[in-house]
Amino acid sequence: MNKAEVVPYKDDNSNKKAQVAKMFDNISPKYDFLNHFLSLGIDIRWRKKAIKLLKPHQPEHILDVATGTADFAIAALKANPKRVTGVDISAGMLEVGREKLKKKGLDKVINLELGDSEKLAFEDNYFDAVIVSFGVRNFENLEKGIQDIYRVTKPGGQVVILEFSKPTKFPFKQVYNFYFKYILPIIGKVVSKDQSAYTYLPESVQAFPYGKNFVDILNKIGFKQTKCIPLTFGVSSIYIGTK
């Protein structure tokens, strides 16, 4: 493991992928509550805005990479697809997601599968659109993961990625950084009972090449018409592109 790599459990010698799976398994029972509570529910609006950008393209089959508990897969139904497939490396998160889908009566439209987001078990040019929310920064190899997303996207298909970024304007930047670095990890630790998960979150955001740097990676992989749309003073961003 690269010593400079940001991982959830610094005393664990396993690779980042294994640690991320373990972390999400650990926090899966409280993940949805913490996600909405710590973001004050704004994450729900972010997902809706991202899917609104996808809707005009009318994708029939959408892949949700790093689907977690399927929140983004459910939001993707607003784009009126025939099918949504979600993939994640955490069995714990998928279990929570499947229960959610059953309760909502959506388990026939959305299918969740255990799988590696950087080695997708699908044919080339298979999906009309690929979406990811708050997942790409957890990739062990970011470019490899984006390459595989590109591979399974049909020519002319869309990619829509929602990910944390960093506010740059005073005073929101200072307030946000204090909350993200000091308050969020304490609340996350108390509620989830995981010592490291919500310390890893700000560290992984800090290390992620957001904004133009991530757009450059999308361009390098081959996506066209790429764009970064900052949300809520730059707390997160939507990235879009076309194969």
Side-chain angles (χ1 to χ4, degrees):
M1 186 177 68
N2 182 351
K3 288 184 178 179
E5 190 174 48
V6 175
V7 293
Y9 307 106
K10 294 175 178 60
D11 56 350
D12 188 329
N13 290 323
S14 58
N15 62 26
K16 180 176 180 178
K17 198 171 293 182
Q19 290 194 38
V20 167
K22 174 184 172 183
M23 177 189 75
F24 281 115
D25 283 345
N26 288 345
I27 67 175
S28 58
K30 301 291 185 182
Y31 178 80
D32 281 344
F33 167 76
L34 280 168
N35 221 17
H36 304 324
F37 177 74
L38 293 172
S39 72
L40 306 176
I42 298 171
D43 64 304
I44 298 169
R45 293 214 308 269
W46 291 340
R47 288 184 179 90
K48 285 181 179 177
K49 188 161 187 177
I51 296 304
K52 199 172 180 182
L53 295 170
L54 188 60
K55 190 172 181 179
H57 300 282
Q58 301 180 308
E60 291 190 0
H61 193 182
I62 298 173
L63 174 65
D64 181 22
V65 173
T67 190
T69 62
D71 272 355
F72 207 27
I74 293 168
L77 295 177
K78 290 291 185 182
N80 300 318
K82 291 180 180 176
R83 283 186 297 158
V84 179
T85 300
V87 173
D88 203 278
I89 59 172
S90 168
M93 295 285 275
L94 291 174
E95 188 178 337
V96 174
R98 288 188 184 109
E99 283 301 312
K100 188 189 298 182
L101 294 177
K102 279 182 188 175
K103 285 179 183 176
K104 291 178 178 286
L106 298 174
D107 49 328
K108 298 291 189 292
V109 188
I110 300 173
N111 178 52
L112 303 184
E113 300 180 11
L114 186 67
D116 187 342
S117 299
E118 296 167 55
K119 197 175 181 182
L120 297 164
F122 303 102
E123 297 171 12
D124 296 359
N125 310 315
Y126 193 71
F127 295 96
D128 300 296
V130 180
I131 61 176
V132 197
S133 68
F134 309 113
V136 292
R137 76 178 189 287
N138 296 320
F139 286 179
E140 189 168 71
N141 185 319
L142 180 58
E143 287 197 17
K144 184 180 176 185
I146 300 302
Q147 280 173 343
D148 220 36
I149 286 172
Y150 183 86
R151 178 184 66 79
V152 301
T153 305
K154 288 180 180 178
Q158 312 301 310
V159 62
V160 177
I161 296 171
L162 178 60
E163 189 51 270
F164 285 115
S165 44
K166 288 179 271 189
T168 56
K169 291 187 178 178
F170 177 87
F172 191 79
K173 173 184 175 181
Q174 285 69 22
V175 173
Y176 171 80
N177 285 343
F178 180 81
Y179 170 74
F180 214 49
K181 192 171 181 181
Y182 297 105
I183 306 300
L184 181 147
I186 293 170
I187 298 171
K189 177 182 170 181
V190 170
V191 176
S192 73
K193 310 300 184 199
D194 189 290
Q195 301 283 330
S196 304
Y198 289 86
T199 302
Y200 164 76
L201 174 58
E203 289 177 352
S204 66
V205 172
Q206 194 66 32
F208 183 71
Y210 72 100
K212 182 182 181 301
N213 290 329
F214 186 60
V215 170
D216 287 345
I217 291 173
L218 293 174
N219 291 335
K220 179 183 175 183
I221 299 305
F223 284 105
K224 309 295 183 188
Q225 299 166 16
T226 53
K227 190 176 180 182
C228 171
I229 304 164
L231 304 171
T232 316
F233 306 104
V235 172
S236 70
S237 298
I238 299 170
Y239 302 90
I240 57 174
T242 305
K243 181 172 177 178

